[in-house]
């Protein structure tokens, strides 16, 4: 990886830390965090998919918020989200299968940034296992439309992959059959209810790229990296998740 792309990644990491320092205290003080009905989620499973370069730990606050409300969240288990798109979707699909079996029915896919795109691809593959889909700041209409710094870092990873470093994105993620197949699937009509959260203050993903025509598009006032800890996001998601959970409970009661 070049010194330029390394510096850009460090800059993005510093931004993430700064945003978290400002946003997390506001979330922890907010009623949407403090007031929790432990029965709201009715045992509905949720698979959380992290954004580019992040791990399951990046969605710790989302996982805690969900668990406190009676959902059953698990990480997607993709490690650091820097690998080949198709291989990562395979892992998300596997976790989707496992969690649907463990919780007794279809589950919610919940992804941030690139993770939202991966979650969408898994939902297109296996709609029978997805109760709903949540995407936060995801470049759904153009997976290569993120900030140039992010794209440069991704291409640097592809360069390392070409040198034999395993587990990274490769050039086929940017062109060729793999890219074309995934772009086609990423824009395919969804068969499950979906919410795409976007912000016009997003400095990483142009907000227009999150306007999925198959999803309910919800605007919040958040930074890109701050969406997972922004109370406005949870205010927007709470009624929609609760509706999916209630419908699942009703189906169980009448089944």
């Amino acid at each position: 990886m070049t010194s330029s792309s390394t510096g850009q990644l460090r800059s993005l990491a510093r931004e993430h830390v700064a945003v978290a320092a400002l946003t997390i205290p506001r979330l922890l003080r907010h009623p949407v965090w403090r007031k929790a009905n432990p029965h709201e989620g009715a045992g509905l499973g949720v698979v959380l998919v992290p954004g580019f370069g992040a791990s399951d730990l990046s969605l710790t606050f989302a996982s805690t918020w969900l668990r406190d409300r009676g959902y059953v969240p698990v990480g997607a288990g993709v490690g650091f989200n820097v690998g080949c798109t198709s291989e990562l979707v395979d892992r998300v699909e596997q976790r989707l299968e496992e969690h649907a079996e463990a919780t007794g029915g279809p589950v919610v896919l919940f992804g941030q940034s690139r993770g939202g795109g991966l979650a969408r691809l898994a939902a297109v593959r296996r709609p029978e296992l997805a109760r709903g889909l949540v995407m936060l700041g995801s470049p759904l209409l153009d997976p290569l439309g993120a900030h140039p710094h992010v794209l440069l870092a991704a291409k640097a990873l592809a360069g390392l992959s070409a040198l034999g470093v395993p587990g990274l994105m490769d050039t086929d993620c940017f062109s060729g059959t793999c890219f074309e197949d995934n772009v086609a699937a990423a824009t395919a009509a969804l068969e499950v209810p979906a919410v795409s959260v976007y912000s016009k203050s997003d400095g990483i993903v142009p907000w227009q790229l999150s306007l999925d025509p198959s999803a309910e598009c919800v605007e919040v006032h958040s930074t890109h990296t701050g969406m997972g800890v922004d109370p406005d996001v949870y205010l927007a998601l709470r009624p929609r998740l609760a509706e999916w959970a209630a419908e699942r409970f009703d189906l169980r009661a009448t089944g």
Side-chain angles (χ1 to χ4, degrees):
M1 186 177 293
T2 66
S3 59
S4 175
S5 57
T6 300
Q8 288 157 359
L9 283 179
R10 287 174 179 168
S11 177
L12 290 172
R14 286 194 296 269
E15 177 194 343
H16 181 75
V17 172
V19 167
L22 292 172
T23 309
I24 289 174
R26 187 163 71 92
L27 173 64
L28 298 182
R29 292 193 301 266
H30 199 284
V32 77
W33 180 273
R34 297 174 65 86
K35 296 179 180 179
N37 175 1
H39 305 293
E40 189 170 278
L44 177 62
V46 184
V47 174
L48 298 115
V49 191
F52 174 70
S55 69
D56 289 341
L57 288 175
S58 67
L59 290 170
T60 296
F61 281 90
S63 181
T64 300
W65 185 85
L66 289 162
R67 187 176 295 109
D68 287 349
R69 285 151 186 79
Y71 298 91
V72 184
V74 296
V78 298
F80 286 96
N81 187 344
V82 293
C84 166
T85 299
S86 295
E87 292 176 1
L88 291 177
V89 177
D90 289 343
R91 294 187 204 173
V92 175
E93 181 183 2
Q94 181 179 352
R95 185 57 61 95
L96 178 62
E97 291 178 345
E98 294 169 350
H99 205 40
E101 181 176 356
T103 56
V107 304
V108 173
L109 284 158
F110 184 120
Q112 182 168 9
S113 193
R114 188 192 187 201
L118 297 177
R120 193 189 195 284
L121 289 169
V124 168
R125 282 191 190 181
R126 303 297 301 275
E128 77 280 6
L129 297 180
R131 179 64 196 88
L133 171 64
V134 172
M135 301 166 286
L136 307 182
S138 300
L140 305 168
L141 303 185
D142 179 7
L144 300 183
H147 192 286
H149 288 182
V150 176
L151 192 58
L152 183 60
K155 289 184 176 180
L157 293 173
L160 292 176
S161 178
L163 294 175
V165 179
L168 302 177
M169 304 175 76
D170 57 35
T171 55
D172 206 29
C173 291
F174 302 96
S175 62
T177 302
C178 178
F179 173 77
E180 292 170 358
D181 289 348
N182 285 320
V183 168
T187 55
L190 288 166
E191 299 179 36
V192 301
V195 177
S196 178
V197 178
Y198 69 94
S199 172
K200 293 181 180 179
S201 301
D202 192 325
I204 302 298
V205 172
W207 64 272
Q208 296 92 335
L209 300 185
S210 297
L211 301 183
D212 188 332
S214 291
E216 177 188 5
C217 298
V218 178
E219 182 180 2
V220 297
H221 302 287
S222 170
T223 63
H224 180 79
T225 54
M227 281 194 185
V229 292
D230 194 302
D232 291 343
V233 172
Y234 293 99
L235 282 171
L237 294 181
R238 183 178 179 182
R240 294 160 175 86
L241 288 167
E243 180 181 352
W244 296 344
E247 289 174 358
R248 176 177 184 268
F249 184 79
D250 290 342
L251 289 173
R252 280 190 164 188
T254 58

